[in-house]
Amino acid sequence: MSHLLIVEDDIAFGTMLQTWLRKKGFEVDKATSVGAAVKILSSSGSVDLVLSDLRLPDHDGLQLLSWMRKNDIYAPFIVMTNYAEVQNAVLAMKSGAADYIAKPVQPDILLQKINDATEGYAKSKNSNNATTDRKSKGGNAAANSRTANAKAADLESSTRQTGTANQSFSKDNSTDTKTPRYIEGKSEASRQLYSYVELVAPTPMSVLILGASGTGKEYVARRIHELSQRSDKPFFALDCGAIPRDVAASEFFGHKKGAFTGADSDKRGAFEVANGGTLFLDEVGNLSYDVQVQLLRALQERRIRPVGGTAEIPIDIRLVCATNENLQEAVEEGRFREDLFHRINEFTIYMPKLSERGTDLFLFADLFVRHANEELNRSVEGFDSAAAEMLVSHSWPGNLRELNNVVKRAVLLTRGNLITATELSLAIGPIQQSSSITSLHDEDDERSRIIAALKQTNGNKAKAARLLGIDRKTIYNKIEKLGITLT
């Protein structure tokens, strides 16, 4: 097992790296300063690799590298740097660093660099057995110097070629303080997700986005629209789980004044509003069967007729749908029309859960801290080490939505600069042992628990859903499916 030392003053990021690398089979120590790293290196005897940030509180990473070489520690040294410090990375390589990696760190690239460096170091240590210690140290130092200088030359060359772009990127980052609404992540699951988005977006194909609640399905739908040939046309999102059956036709197709009681004026429906652009139907699995028939007809004929109207309106929309239900199972059970399923499912995108997105957890947590700071007028900087470990250990069944809510509550509760395990524990609340009715298959048990929750909340479905650990759309769907009525 290779022994690594991480030197990083960002406690949350350092803890994330340590946790992730331990899961990859490494023994990992962590320091937040050059002084702390020197103590570890002096006491531990040896490490197989040092992964260090350049900018540290007491000294920069180059001084640690210099100290290691003066004390005959020839373990590979990988520098973490941002684009603005690329010249310092060149200097580090010339000083004997084995490699460098740019922030934000991409986990698979980092892992490859670590494996390459530790394998090379292990081979060089084995070769030491055939020579004297003095010669081997000199030989290793010379080999390291030749390799580092070659990499430094390549880096210097690429810096000259792309220097303007790098300077522009750095300048943009330093002046643009606006927090993005969403980030896509750097994990393998995230990269695969958005590679499919980029693949299907320019086509006219309908897309079905499948995934658990809170995974970011609407953002993916918007991204498909933004990358499509319809990006300059409207994007309209409609929550099918919140549409009462008796007004569904009006929501989809619009109505004319006087078409029914309460229709005091003409109304354009979702199809007409999105005409020329993209129509996003969220929770499409919650549509009743008769509404599915009307939707299928509109998609097939590409024409709609407002409720109470006589003239048909031609429509041209790109359809993107999403659901957290198993539509194939719903088709087999007769709850969802097979012909509509195939119409909306020309291409399928599966949303990864937050637990499947690895180190992206910390990227999203940091983003949500910034959002909460802006919304609540706070200045929380992040998470301390214990809180970061708690973030990793929690399963996040509610995915990004749960993380966002927890972080917002934690920011509100925090009185210092960093969120501690105390505030985060209060924000997460008591962890219930799999009490969600979504995991049950016994309909009688589901029915009795829903009825009990509704009685406890005096018929308030939203409160009952929270009590049961499910979302509002799911409880509405189950009430209809199980034929539950309140007297």
Side-chain angles (χ1 to χ4, degrees), residues 27-39:
E27 179 185 350
V28 187
D29 284 324
K30 178 166 62 74
T32 57
S33 66
V34 170
V38 166
K39 288 182 181 178

Side-chain angles (χ1 to χ4, degrees), residues 52-56 59-62 79-81 85 88-89 92:
S52 176
D53 195 4
L54 269 179
R55 295 187 179 277
L56 295 162
H59 305 287
D60 66 34
L62 295 181
V79 173
M80 295 184 287
T81 181
E85 296 174 323
N88 288 334

Side-chain angles (χ1 to χ4, degrees), residues 6-9 13-14 17 51-55 77-82 85 89 99-103 105 110:
I6 297 170
V7 190
E8 170 61 68
D9 62 325
F13 179 63
L17 278 180
L51 177 64
S52 176
D53 195 4
L54 269 179
R55 295 187 179 277
F77 192 95
I78 296 180
V79 173
M80 295 184 287
T81 181
N82 59 42
E85 296 174 323
D99 211 334
Y100 84 101
I101 187 165
K103 290 183 175 181
V105 171
L110 174 61

Side-chain angles (χ1 to χ4, degrees), residues 62-93:
L62 295 181
Q63 288 187 256
L64 175 60
L65 175 59
S66 175
W67 179 89
M68 288 172 60
R69 297 303 181 248
K70 287 178 181 177
N71 287 272
D72 293 335
I73 300 175
Y74 293 99
F77 192 95
I78 296 180
V79 173
M80 295 184 287
T81 181
N82 59 42
Y83 285 102
E85 296 174 323
V86 70
Q87 289 296 342
N88 288 334
V90 173
L91 180 58
M93 302 286 281

